[in-house]
Amino acid sequence: TFIKIPNNGSMQFHGDYEWLKEAFMNLLKNALEHDNSGKPIEITLVKKEEYYNIAIRDYGTGMMEQDIPNLFDRFYMPQNVKANHTGIGLNLAKLIFEGHFGSIHAYNHETGGAVFQILLPIYPLK
């Protein structure tokens, strides 16, 4: 499995590099662990007028619908998760994005796989 990121030119976001790296690494790690399709993990970056829209998509089996509302709860363990997980990675990612005044949402893609959508606001620097 590999990661496919489109070249959208230069985009900059001003935030805490180490914490944002931790959040994105958690999402990428989850995507890689839950996808054995052989297709690339896709990352889509779209700059809107007031925010960045970032989507991370895998081609795995997706999430059980009953798990989606609780995925970002601390220590939540979906039924089909491996035993070596603690249930804090997605919660930490959510807290990091919210600490940057953003948000994260999860859903199943209509053609299969999971999607994590992150919205981060664009603030002009003075």
Side-chain angles (χ1 to χ4, degrees):
T1 304
F2 59 97
I3 298 172
K4 177 180 167 185
I5 304 172
N7 183 0
N8 293 351
S10 176
M11 290 189 202
Q12 292 183 351
F13 179 79
H14 299 278
D16 188 303
Y17 174 79
E18 290 299 325
W19 280 116
L20 288 167
K21 181 174 78 171
E22 179 72 26
F24 283 111
M25 292 302 290
N26 281 338
L27 296 176
L28 290 172
K29 178 178 167 273
N30 280 353
L32 290 167
E33 286 180 358
H34 295 285
D35 185 347
N36 58 5
S37 70
K39 294 181 180 180
I41 304 301
E42 293 183 3
I43 301 173
T44 306
L45 308 163
V46 179
K47 183 178 180 182
K48 300 289 186 175
E49 189 173 324
E50 296 181 359
Y51 60 90
Y52 290 108
N53 184 348
I54 305 158
I56 299 173
R57 179 188 179 194
D58 67 47
Y59 287 87
T61 57
M63 300 166 280
M64 297 179 75
E65 288 297 323
Q66 67 264 26
D67 289 327
I68 293 174
N70 303 308
L71 281 177
F72 300 104
D73 294 348
R74 189 174 199 143
F75 304 122
Y76 181 75
M77 300 293 285
Q79 292 178 4
N80 62 350
V81 75
K82 296 175 184 173
N84 63 345
H85 288 266
T86 60
I88 61 171
L90 292 177
N91 178 257
L92 179 60
K94 178 181 183 234
L95 293 172
I96 292 167
F97 294 130
E98 288 177 348
H100 286 82
F101 304 102
S103 63
I104 182 170
H105 307 280
Y107 58 93
N108 287 316
H109 194 275
E110 59 192 27
T111 61
V115 179
F116 286 86
Q117 180 180 27
I118 300 102
L119 301 176
L120 291 169
I122 298 172
Y123 294 108
L125 294 179
K126 295 181 180 184

